[in-house]
Amino acid sequence: MKNSILLFLACLLYASGFAQQAQENESSEIYVKPKLVVGIVVDQMRYDYLTRFYDKYGEDGFKRMMNEGFNCKNNHFNYIPTYTAPGHTSIYTGTSPMNHGIIGNNWYDKELKTSVYCAEDASVASVGTENKAGQMSPHRMLTTTFADENRLFTQMEGKTIGISIKDRGAILPAGHTANAAYWFFGEDQGDFITSTYYEEELPKWVKNFNSSKKAKSYLKEWDTYYNIKKYTESGDDLNDFEGGFKGKETATFPYDLKKLSKENNGFDIIKSTPYGNSIVADFAIEAIKGEDLGKDDVTDVLTVSFSSTDYVGHNFGVNSKEIEDTYIRLDKDLGRLFKMLDSYVGKGEYTVFLTADHGGVDVPSYLHSQHVPAGYFDKKEFKDKLDSFMTKKYGASDLIENISNNQIFLNRKKISLLNLNLESMEQEIANELISYEGIHYVNPAFSLSSGGNDIEALLKNGYNQKRSGDVLFQLKPAVISYSKTGSTHGTGLNYDTHVPLMFFGKGIKHGSTLQKTEVIDIAPTISGLLGISFPNGATGKPLEFLLD
């Protein structure tokens, strides 16, 4: 009997120890403390750029993330419109425009009766330039980012630095509490700048970087990294579907950037080449050193947006030799950034994720040449036809205040004065628009509250009651309002919503999934990894299957 009791107690102690060990293991899985979290957004990166150019990539960039980390192969945006500012904001806030309020790059302000830019802020001054390009802040973003929550959690000890070619790509991800955000100002200057929202003067390391004239070193020849004959994953170099640069008759390699810069706004030409990504990588590496990121036990956050991919895509299109070369070179830039993190922060001591703010459509004129349904939408013709309908139907020509971002803003004051019913008018306009050439889908705003089909769900997630319009419309697949050269984006179709999502580093498993994920899941996943509060408006879910 005594031996049985002793055996029972031994088993109980063993089980208790096992449970305690399991609890400790669970705790360590939930609360991983990387010294640095690096969030990377590649502007206008379609998912298929990972697979289409795979054989051209080295082992240190995209492939390293796939080989060492976790690849979410079926990752999508969950809203319309798929533009840069909403994309960056949704990634870092963990919610969609209906909550964070960044409904476009620009939008019509119904109170001010004018178009506003997502980051403009006249209450702050430029730092690093006399140009008003520095008068920017995140004040129009309504919710926090995971970087904000990390700052609050660490009593403001954990640093946050945002970097991009574009102001919105640096400012919105870094959040409201960032130590700094820096963006590139071209023209005749070629420097990284900021605003007094963050600091009154550029730090010494930023001044040193600008003084090094790194931008000037990129005003050189842009030719293909490999022999152009090896670029079999893209179309002919000479074709009718690309824009090119002023001062050069054809959009073909090579490009003398120093010579072309005179007719292409000086240093701004760098933005539309892979060297815009290279200078961002250069600056990010200096930021890590200059700010001592990842050098203590308090987690820091670095947000990096590579925007030149977007400029190249808009100019040359998603099937161009130029876009292939840009991604081959970006892969090299990622490789050297990761190697620097290995040596400076320590391999296995940092966590990285990489995604995109939207994808991009194949040039419709190219698709049409291949017998794929596609086309172009004439905005002026559309507006004239709609104005004529409104005048005939309601006897007034000023009932529409604004048409932008595929949204119609009605003059509610005038509607009230005429004793017209707003919902009835929205429905009448929807009934009219659906008959127009190029229009695929129309939604009165009042109907979004009732849910509906997949398109309505995307529209609803992108609809902010205080900021969005009264009637929303979508164009047919591969029909765009844009020039007949180059690519664009903005829809809820797969070519715009399907983007990469990869994690690697501390706390991340190795693997992949075809399970559908959404970009709003990224911020809750990082928050869960760090054991901090989710961003205050987050609606996404942590991707626990990729956490180690």
Side-chain angles (χ1 to χ4, degrees):
M1 181 70 177
K2 185 177 180 181
N3 288 340
S4 296
I5 293 172
L6 289 172
L7 180 62
F8 172 76
L9 289 173
C11 291
L12 187 65
L13 287 170
Y14 178 81
S16 175
F18 183 80
Q20 183 178 356
Q21 183 64 44
Q23 187 175 18
E24 289 174 0
N25 288 342
E26 182 181 359
S27 176
S28 67
E29 288 173 357
I30 295 173
Y31 302 111
V32 175
K33 291 294 183 185
K35 293 183 176 181
L36 177 63
V37 172
V38 182
I40 298 173
V41 178
V42 183
D43 205 322
Q44 202 189 122
M45 184 176 184
R46 294 161 52 114
Y47 176 79
D48 67 350
Y49 289 162
L50 282 181
T51 53
R52 181 147 58 102
F53 306 142
Y54 184 86
D55 290 340
K56 297 296 189 295
Y57 294 143
E59 298 299 320
D60 302 322
F62 291 119
K63 283 185 179 179
R64 179 176 176 186
M65 295 199 76
M66 288 183 265
N67 292 336
E68 295 183 17
F70 201 96
N71 184 6
C72 298
K73 299 178 180 180
N74 189 21
N75 183 60
H76 289 263
F77 280 87
N78 70 325
Y79 62 83
I80 297 170
T82 44
Y83 296 138
T84 296
H88 283 76
T89 309
S90 298
I91 290 163
Y92 284 86
T93 62
T95 192
S96 45
M98 70 180 298
N99 294 315
H100 61 60
I102 303 299
I103 62 171
N105 297 331
N106 304 272
W107 64 86
Y108 180 71
D109 188 302
K110 293 185 279 192
E111 298 298 322
L112 298 176
K113 306 298 183 186
T114 189
S115 181
V116 297
Y117 177 62
C118 60
E120 68 182 346
D121 188 349
S123 72
V124 301
S126 299
V127 176
T129 182
E130 295 181 2
N131 191 284
K132 65 179 181 179
Q135 291 185 279
M136 304 288 168
S137 84
H139 74 107
R140 285 197 167 92
M141 182 169 61
L142 302 177
T143 61
T144 61
T145 67
F146 78 75
D148 285 321
E149 296 300 335
N150 184 65
R151 291 272 288 155
L152 295 169
F153 182 85
T154 62
Q155 301 301 309
M156 300 297 171
E157 288 187 27
K159 285 186 175 182
T160 298
I161 306 292
I163 297 167
S164 179
I165 284 284
K166 297 180 180 178
D167 48 51
R168 56 189 180 270
I171 292 167
L172 298 171
H176 300 279
T177 61
N179 300 81
Y182 302 104
W183 53 97
F184 184 76
F185 177 64
E187 297 187 10
D188 61 351
Q189 194 169 340
D191 289 336
F192 280 88
I193 63 172
T194 190
S195 80
T196 53
Y197 179 87
Y198 305 99
E199 52 202 2
E200 297 295 323
E201 185 179 4
L202 291 176
K204 184 178 179 181
W205 70 265
V206 178
K207 290 180 179 179
N208 289 343
F209 185 91
N210 288 338
S211 296
S212 72
K213 302 300 179 185
K214 177 64 76 169
K216 190 175 182 179
S217 72
Y218 286 119
L219 289 179
K220 59 182 181 179
E221 183 178 83
W222 175 23
D223 204 352
T224 53
Y225 188 87
Y226 300 116
N227 188 310
I228 197 169
K229 292 180 180 179
K230 294 183 178 181
Y231 284 32
T232 55
E233 297 78 14
S234 47
D236 294 336
D237 192 28
L238 180 62
N239 60 70
D240 297 326
F241 316 116
E242 301 177 14
F245 296 114
K246 293 178 182 177
K248 193 172 190 301
E249 286 188 17
T250 60
T252 54
F253 284 105
Y255 298 94
D256 184 342
L257 301 184
K258 184 176 181 180
K259 180 180 178 182
L260 292 171
S261 67
K262 297 171 185 177
E263 294 186 54
N264 293 273
N265 213 24
F267 287 104
D268 276 343
I269 197 172
I270 294 172
K271 298 177 182 180
S272 298
T273 76
Y275 302 138
N277 294 329
S278 297
I279 200 170
V280 165
D282 296 335
F283 192 79
I285 287 169
E286 291 306 310
I288 294 166
K289 294 185 290 186
E291 298 290 343
D292 284 330
L293 299 181
K295 295 304 284 185
D296 58 29
D297 293 329
V298 181
T299 302
D300 298 320
V301 175
L302 174 66
T303 74
V304 183
S305 177
F306 290 104
S307 304
S308 290
T309 42
D310 184 66
Y311 288 107
V312 175
H314 277 294
N315 191 355
F316 298 96
V318 305
N319 197 46
S320 62
K321 295 282 192 244
E322 286 80 2
I323 205 72
E324 179 168 1
D325 191 68
T326 296
Y327 276 90
I328 288 169
R329 291 176 181 273
L330 174 59
D331 181 62
K332 307 297 182 187
D333 287 325
L334 289 173
R336 64 190 178 93
L337 175 60
F338 296 157
K339 284 182 178 179
M340 187 273 177
L341 289 168
D342 288 342
S343 62
Y344 191 82
V345 180
K347 192 170 184 180
E349 294 295 335
Y350 61 90
T351 305
V352 178
F353 71 81
L354 182 148
T355 188
D357 57 347
H358 53 74
V361 65
D362 265 293
V363 180
S365 54
Y366 166 70
L367 291 177
H368 191 261
S369 74
Q370 301 300 314
H371 311 293
V372 177
Y376 294 90
F377 185 74
D378 189 322
K379 279 201 247 183
K380 185 179 184 305
E381 182 182 315
F382 167 77
K383 185 179 184 303
D384 290 345
K385 191 172 181 179
L386 180 57
D387 283 343
S388 177
F389 165 78
M390 296 297 286
T391 302
K392 184 177 179 181
K393 179 76 177 177
Y394 299 104
S397 59
D398 57 349
L399 293 174
I400 295 176
E401 284 189 352
N402 180 267
I403 302 174
S404 55
N405 296 328
N406 289 357
Q407 297 183 21
I408 296 170
F409 294 80
L410 297 175
N411 186 337
R412 295 193 175 197
K413 185 176 180 181
K414 184 67 178 286
I415 290 169
S416 179
L417 286 173
L418 294 175
N419 291 319
L420 296 170
N421 182 278
L422 178 63
E423 288 191 5
S424 295
M425 183 175 287
E426 288 180 7
Q427 188 63 61
E428 288 285 354
I429 292 172
N431 294 341
E432 169 70 8
L433 295 188
I434 199 63
S435 67
Y436 290 8
E437 183 65 28
I439 298 287
H440 184 57
Y441 196 85
V442 189
N443 243 88
F446 75 81
S447 72
L448 293 177
S449 60
S450 61
N453 59 34
D454 289 344
I455 294 178
E456 287 172 338
L458 293 171
L459 287 168
K460 183 177 180 180
N461 287 335
Y463 184 87
N464 182 276
Q465 255 187 323
K466 291 178 75 71
R467 294 180 174 180
S468 298
D470 299 292
V471 180
L472 297 78
F473 61 92
Q474 292 297 300
L475 304 181
K476 290 180 179 178
V479 172
I480 62 175
S481 178
Y482 199 66
S483 68
K484 296 199 174 178
T485 58
S487 297
T488 192
H489 49 86
T491 75
L493 296 163
N494 283 322
Y495 51 72
D496 282 337
T497 68
H498 189 194
V499 297
L501 175 57
M502 297 184 289
F503 296 79
F504 93 108
K506 190 166 188 177
I508 304 300
K509 289 180 181 177
H510 174 230
S512 64
T513 184
L514 274 169
Q515 174 183 331
K516 186 174 183 179
T517 59
E518 296 179 335
V519 295
I520 61 170
D521 299 334
I522 297 170
T525 301
I526 295 296
S527 296
L529 179 78
L530 299 178
I532 63 176
S533 293
F534 290 8
N536 59 18
T539 52
K541 60 186 183 302
L543 304 174
E544 58 182 334
F545 52 79
L546 60 79
L547 298 179
D548 190 5

